[in-house]
Amino acid sequence: MDKAQFLTRFHHAKQINSEADFPLREPGRPAAVLLPIMEYDNELTVLFTVRASHLRHHAGQISFPGGKQELTDNSLVETALRETHEEVGLPPYKVEVVGNLPMYRTVSRYEVIPYVGFVSAPTRLILDKNEVESTFEVPLSFLMDQNNHLIHWVKRKEGQFPVYFIPWKQHNIWGATAAFVRNLSNHF
């Protein structure tokens, strides 16, 4: 799949609700992530981060660059781009944001908007070691194939909810990050 094929499918897909939309008793905290698609001459890949092992929350987990909205952010897309720049050194002008996926509510009470953006690759990343231990890329074609997604059902008071896992080499992409990928793959 190339960029043109991706954009055609992405823009013609229907809106899909989050598959693990945990009900909130009160409004959640706004946040945003960037799902960066790295555009090489002959392949599209998706960039993931491995969170620093010393962090108090989600240490060592796989994620997309992003975080909570700050008062200085004028929009959630600005939040995603600012956080991406802070975490991996990718300046906003190098990201072509092409849209977003539906809001996803996390169990930690964040309401996250995942933005999809293209980045010309290769590009030099400068990791903030206080937040990001490392990065890795996975071919977009692998991620869009739902045969590569594992599902574990979790019971909560409100019912049963899927938790997605996507194994890739020595990494295990799971939780909200895998749910974002799963939601994107529903477009294909």
Side-chain angles (χ1 to χ4, degrees):
M1 170 183 337
D2 63 15
K3 182 178 179 180
Q5 292 168 322
F6 175 90
L7 290 174
T8 299
R9 290 180 182 178
F10 183 66
H11 288 300
H12 288 100
K14 63 183 185 330
Q15 278 291 94
I16 299 168
N17 292 326
S18 171
E19 294 186 52
D21 191 15
F22 295 100
L24 296 176
R25 291 172 187 33
E26 57 189 64
R29 297 172 285 190
V33 298
L34 179 69
L35 198 152
I37 299 176
M38 308 302 285
E39 187 178 5
Y40 293 92
D41 288 338
N42 60 351
E43 181 180 36
L44 299 176
T45 66
V46 177
L47 177 74
F48 293 88
T49 65
V50 178
R51 292 176 51 84
S53 57
H54 68 270
L55 292 174
R56 214 171 102 201
H57 300 289
H58 311 292
Q61 288 185 2
I62 309 300
S63 64
F64 289 119
K68 66 180 180 178
Q69 186 175 35
E70 301 291 340
L71 293 175
T72 55
D73 296 334
N74 294 315
S75 66
L76 283 169
V77 70
E78 193 174 299
T79 299
L81 294 172
R82 175 187 52 75
E83 287 280 350
T84 299
H85 188 224
E86 290 173 7
E87 292 178 18
V88 298
L90 189 59
Y93 71 86
K94 288 199 169 198
V95 180
E96 177 191 353
V97 176
V98 295
N100 65 276
L101 297 170
M103 185 268 295
Y104 181 92
R105 292 182 180 173
T106 68
V107 292
S108 53
R109 297 182 26 213
Y110 281 97
E111 294 182 342
V112 183
I113 301 290
Y115 289 91
V116 177
F118 279 86
V119 179
S120 292
T123 190
R124 184 170 176 251
L125 301 177
I126 303 168
L127 307 186
D128 176 351
K129 291 296 187 173
N130 288 320
E131 294 191 55
V132 176
E133 191 168 295
S134 62
T135 63
F136 65 96
E137 296 177 31
V138 179
L140 180 65
S141 58
F142 178 88
L143 295 170
M144 295 302 98
D145 182 350
Q146 291 188 353
N147 292 316
N148 297 321
H149 303 182
L150 307 175
I151 304 171
H152 176 74
W153 290 90
V154 175
K155 279 190 174 190
R156 290 200 171 297
K157 290 183 220 175
E158 302 86 12
Q160 283 196 300
F161 299 93
V163 177
Y164 294 98
F165 294 85
I166 306 170
W168 172 256
K169 297 186 178 180
Q170 76 272 22
H171 301 290
N172 192 16
I173 304 161
W174 69 283
T177 303
F180 300 149
V181 172
R182 178 67 175 211
N183 204 2
L184 180 62
S185 74
N186 287 331
H187 292 276
F188 295 87

